[in-house]
Amino acid sequence: MCIFCKIVAGELPAYKIYEDEKTLAFLDIKPTTSGHALVITKAHYANLEEISEVDLTALALATKKVGALLKEKLNVPGYNMSSNNDPVAGQEIPHIHFHLIPRHEGDGLVNWPKIEYGPGDMEEIAKKLTA
Ligand code: 5GP
Ligand code: ZN
């Protein structure tokens, strides 16, 4: 059983902040910023390809609620919502989860770096994706 399934089963402790029939949210043990929350499905799915449409819908709706909680109860002005999908993208726990990372003016966090496409690259990629 994975770590997050153990939290769902009550075999590992967590600071739970939201729960419904299909989802659970709790505080990340090593937060990027204070209040960093993880929203998970109670059922185990490794990633976005595996998750059912019904559970993905529940996960998205729970994430929206937890985001509102952070704003309302912790006076968070905004947050990043992200998901690391597969180990190469930084996914450490193989159980789908959405991160909600509270952001504050001047918190010093830097968002994604950006690169430039070479000539023709965008066209080629779009062609591959739509072929
Ligand atoms: P990932 O890298 O898979 O996208 O994110 C996994 C997150 O889970 C990390 O931010 C990590 O700090 C958090 N985490 C790992 N183990 C535990 C745990 O036992 N309890 C809690 N609350 N968070 C955990
Ligand atoms: Zn799991």
Side-chain angles (χ1 to χ4, degrees):
M1 206 190 283
C2 88
I3 286 178
F4 288 175
C5 281
K6 285 184 179 164
I7 289 175
V8 171
E11 291 176 18
L12 276 179
Y15 285 99
K16 296 176 185 174
I17 56 172
Y18 174 82
E19 182 167 13
D20 61 32
E21 188 197 339
K22 291 184 171 300
T23 72
L24 177 67
F26 50 90
L27 297 179
D28 192 305
I29 205 165
K30 288 204 173 163
T32 298
T33 62
S34 181
H36 182 162
L38 300 172
V39 193
I40 70 171
T41 51
K42 288 183 174 173
H44 180 95
Y45 302 100
N47 57 29
L48 204 51
E49 286 77 63
E50 283 197 5
I51 192 171
S52 71
E53 290 189 0
V54 168
D55 273 4
L56 179 57
T57 302
L59 183 60
L61 294 175
T63 302
K64 182 177 165 77
K65 285 179 187 163
V66 176
L69 262 186
L70 294 174
K71 283 190 162 180
E72 195 184 313
K73 309 272 188 173
L74 297 184
N75 287 323
V76 164
Y79 51 82
N80 292 109
M81 192 280 269
S82 68
S83 187
N84 299 327
N85 207 65
D86 300 318
V88 72
Q91 184 179 10
E92 289 173 5
I93 309 291
H95 180 133
I96 193 166
H97 51 282
F98 289 168
H99 293 258
L100 282 171
I101 301 171
R103 297 298 302 269
H104 297 273
E105 286 297 333
D107 61 22
L109 284 187
V110 180
N111 285 3
W112 306 107
K114 292 179 189 268
I115 61 168
E116 299 288 336
Y117 277 118
D121 287 352
M122 286 179 88
E123 189 185 355
E124 190 188 325
I125 289 166
K127 266 191 192 156
K128 278 185 187 164
L129 291 170
T130 54

